[in-house]
Amino acid sequence: MERRWSPVFNPSNLLKAIWQWVDARLDLSPIVKHASEKQVPEHRHSSWYYWGGICLFLFVVQVLTGVLLMVYYRSGPDAYDSVREITYQIRFGWLIRSVHAWSANLMIFAVFVHMFSVFFMKAYRQPREFGWWSGLGLLGLCMVFGFSGYLLPMDELAFFATRVGLAIPETLPGMSGIISAVLRGGPEVASATLQRFFALHVVVLPALFAPLLGIHLWLVQKHGNALPPSEEAKPEAERKSVPFFPNFAMRDMAVWLIVLNVIAVLAALFPWQLDAAADPLKPAPPGIHPEWYFMSQFEALKLLGRVIPGTLGEFAGVGLFTLALLMWAAVPLFDTRTAPGQRGRNTTLFGLLVLIAVIALTVIGYIEVL
Amino acid sequence: MSDAPEESITRRIFVRTGIAAAGACYAAAMGYPVFQYLAAAAQKAEAESAVKEVILNDVEKLPAPSALMFKFGGHPALLIHHADKSWTALSAVCTHLGCTVEYDPHQERIACACHGGVYNPHTGGNVSGPPPKPLTLFHVVVADGKAVVSRV
């Protein structure tokens, strides 16, 4: 009798059988079909499509390095000492911390680039409004991530940055008690502040960020890449695109590799340092300034304070911000699509104005403190 | 570039191998620091526990028969003062699954509460129960109220 191998012993048949078993239960083939049919438009502005992926990659770096830092970080009175150990004693601790800090900064930068590219490509127009709003929510969370994470080493800079950062909203009427009771945990930035910022940074924010990111990514899959108006104006036959798998995914990964190398070079050549331990009785060091992503807001408040002195100035500043932010968020509502390829020049001008103002205020801020 | 199928297969294999090798390099370049970082705590504890000798003061106050627990190289150890006034020092880590054993002066034995292992308090020999090996015996010299415990 002829001996035959059962087909299940062929590895590729085995894989196929496992796949069919799983698919029969979870009905995954529509997802695979969607992924295999997914196309990415190819045009002059295609390179901006990489920035969302860059943000995602940097977020993953943040999660992984953040978990590693938690292995040795101790919040509470030991916080400074534990970060000193991580930075100067534990092998490669400096690298993990530097990657976390550099990647955090790059992530905020990438999110800003992503946001402005979406804005100028008008990728917030119907049906992508929720993508715009969920993205703004993610940006807001990133800023709070940055602000709360900055305190955790509990060195001088961390201490004063948090002190000033919490003092700004405190000037608003009725906010003083709330900030003290809820955020600062007392009249002065101390161990109690650190503990709640730590909880915020490693539990609350990730718990909010992860589902919002899930929605954001799901929307991207649902709607696909938006076409800029210049492309939309072209007849369909003239538009070009490439398959997501494998072409665009490969390019995405190549970009991630570049970003990884950039982080590695930055972390190795400019490792993040640690200041002296926070001392509430020491005067603020000269030239102290907020992180670059808070600089424009800080500078705007400062300039407004010169024009309108006192609490009124702060109030006007915060009010102006809120208004600008609301307008920014509402862009999809007033810049609606009327005809394919319509550019909406006023909105573009508004965006340019915001971009120039942010850059100018940041530059002025740095000139003033340096 | 030639269109000969043989050559294009060689080229494909070359590219694939190159990508796999580069990927392995990246994985190693990330994996090595992460492993060293995580291992730092264990290495530190090991370095701290690398002791050859422990000196215990005021041991004359220890009634006979009774025992005292102390730390030898990061692990718990027992100093037993026997009824005949002799001394024994041995590891208190059960050789079965690592529980901490206890000296029982009434029955003249060392017992482990976890799975009922029993050891001889003079030699550390495993008498009954699941322990596969005797407890590690240390060298002990008592003089001037001090006990000097060292590895045999």
Side-chain angles (χ1 to χ4, degrees):
Chain A
M1 205 179 99
E2 200 186 350
R3 259 183 103 168
R4 277 194 189 176
W5 287 104
S6 149
V8 92
F9 281 98
N10 180 330
S12 77
N13 281 351
L14 181 64
L15 277 182
K16 210 182 269 173
I18 292 173
W19 163 247
Q20 279 165 357
W21 191 89
V22 174
D23 187 41
R25 280 145 189 91
L26 302 180
D27 195 20
L28 298 175
S29 31
I31 298 171
V32 174
K33 188 168 178 286
H34 175 83
S36 66
E37 286 171 357
K38 188 178 163 170
Q39 294 274 323
V40 177
E42 202 166 39
H43 48 77
R44 216 145 65 77
H45 306 293
S46 283
S47 56
W48 299 107
Y49 290 145
Y50 294 117
W51 285 89
I54 293 174
C55 298
L56 181 65
F57 175 73
L58 289 168
F59 175 69
V60 172
V61 172
Q62 285 312 92
V63 172
L64 296 179
T65 51
V67 169
L68 285 172
L69 286 173
M70 270 185 75
V71 170
Y72 291 112
Y73 179 74
R74 304 186 293 274
S75 64
D78 257 6
Y80 179 80
D81 282 334
S82 71
V83 177
R84 196 174 40 75
E85 280 166 25
I86 290 171
T87 314
Y88 301 113
Q89 285 173 15
I90 292 158
R91 260 192 267 177
F92 293 108
W94 64 272
L95 183 64
I96 309 280
R97 177 167 176 248
S98 296
V99 168
H100 194 71
W102 273 115
S103 166
N105 279 279
L106 290 177
M107 182 175 168
I108 296 213
F109 177 75
V111 171
F112 269 113
V113 172
H114 181 47
M115 178 183 76
F116 277 108
S117 72
V118 163
F119 187 93
F120 291 120
M121 289 218 268
K122 311 243 175 242
Y124 48 75
R125 282 179 172 176
Q126 200 202 343
R128 297 187 175 82
E129 292 94 333
F130 284 101
W132 176 249
W133 292 324
S134 57
L136 285 182
L138 290 170
L139 170 61
L141 289 175
C142 281
M143 305 278 273
V144 186
F145 259 123
F147 185 66
S148 56
Y150 203 72
L151 177 65
L152 301 187
M154 210 53 179
D155 60 358
E156 254 180 11
L157 265 181
F159 178 75
F160 284 108
T162 309
R163 227 175 162 188
V164 175
L166 289 180
I168 292 171
E170 227 176 2
T171 54
L172 298 180
M175 282 301 278
S176 173
I178 294 172
I179 300 277
S180 181
V182 178
L183 283 177
R184 202 192 292 109
E188 188 61 89
V189 171
S191 232
T193 325
L194 180 71
Q195 192 66 35
R196 51 192 72 191
F197 272 43
F198 180 59
L200 194 66
H201 193 79
V202 305
V203 179
V204 180
L205 292 174
L208 295 173
F209 198 92
L212 196 55
L213 179 62
I215 292 170
H216 194 74
L217 293 176
W218 173 68
L219 287 171
V220 173
Q221 299 318 309
K222 189 174 165 64
H223 296 134
N225 293 67
L227 282 173
S230 57
E231 277 299 297
E232 260 185 349
K234 287 184 193 169
E236 205 148 333
E238 281 178 32
R239 296 180 200 159
K240 280 186 229 159
S241 67
V242 291
F244 185 81
F245 283 111
N247 304 41
F248 197 80
M250 287 291 209
R251 291 185 207 170
D252 248 345
M253 281 196 270
V255 171
W256 292 353
L257 202 58
I258 292 169
V259 175
L260 181 68
N261 290 341
V262 169
I263 298 172
V265 168
L266 285 172
L269 298 185
F270 309 101
W272 220 258
Q273 298 300 315
L274 188 65
D275 267 347
D279 182 351
L281 298 180
K282 249 167 107 179
I288 186 163
H289 61 83
E291 283 291 86
W292 62 270
Y293 44 90
F294 288 120
M295 190 55 117
S296 60
Q297 299 98 298
F298 182 75
E299 189 57 28
L301 277 181
K302 218 158 123 186
L303 292 180
L304 258 170
R306 281 181 204 161
V307 184
I308 319 167
T311 320
L312 194 65
E314 302 256 358
F315 193 50
V318 177
L320 205 68
F321 271 137
T322 315
L323 195 72
L325 211 63
L326 282 177
M327 267 176 75
W328 193 248
V331 153
L333 299 181
F334 58 77
D335 181 34
T336 49
R337 189 194 308 267
T338 39
Q342 200 197 25
R343 278 160 202 260
R345 286 191 191 280
N346 291 341
T347 318
T348 305
L349 281 176
F350 172 57
L352 276 175
L353 192 77
V354 170
L355 182 60
I356 290 167
V358 167
I359 292 172
L361 285 168
T362 307
V363 171
I364 294 168
Y366 272 99
I367 289 171
E368 283 199 354
V369 292
L370 294 180
Chain B
M1 233 205 300
S2 159
D3 282 343
E6 262 178 61
E7 250 182 298
S8 69
I9 286 168
T10 324
R11 190 185 142 97
R12 168 168 293 194
I13 289 171
F14 176 77
V15 169
R16 276 195 182 171
T17 314
I19 289 174
C25 287
Y26 268 94
M30 289 188 286
Y32 179 73
V34 168
F35 178 79
Q36 289 295 333
Y37 174 80
L38 290 173
Q43 284 164 355
K44 195 178 158 204
E46 224 163 83
E48 279 170 0
S49 71
V51 289
K52 294 207 168 75
E53 192 179 87
V54 169
I55 297 172
L56 303 163
N57 292 315
D58 299 332
V59 289
E60 75 272 15
K61 288 176 189 165
L62 195 67
S66 72
L68 130 93
M69 299 291 289
F70 66 100
K71 223 172 165 185
F72 192 94
H75 295 295
L78 266 174
L79 178 71
I80 303 171
H81 198 184
H82 295 289
D84 62 1
K85 309 290 182 196
S86 64
W87 297 83
T88 305
L90 29 69
S91 160
V93 181
C94 183
T95 55
H96 176 221
L97 288 171
C99 284
T100 301
V101 296
E102 192 183 15
Y103 174 60
D104 178 358
H106 305 296
Q107 298 190 54
E108 260 294 283
R109 61 176 205 167
I110 294 169
C112 181
C114 291
H115 308 99
V118 175
Y119 300 90
N120 180 320
H122 293 276
T123 63
N126 42 327
V127 176
S128 70
K133 284 189 300 188
L135 294 170
T136 309
L137 198 64
F138 297 132
H139 187 66
V140 61
V141 178
V142 179
D144 306 330
K146 275 184 190 166
V148 180
V149 180
S150 54
R151 288 187 203 279
V152 174

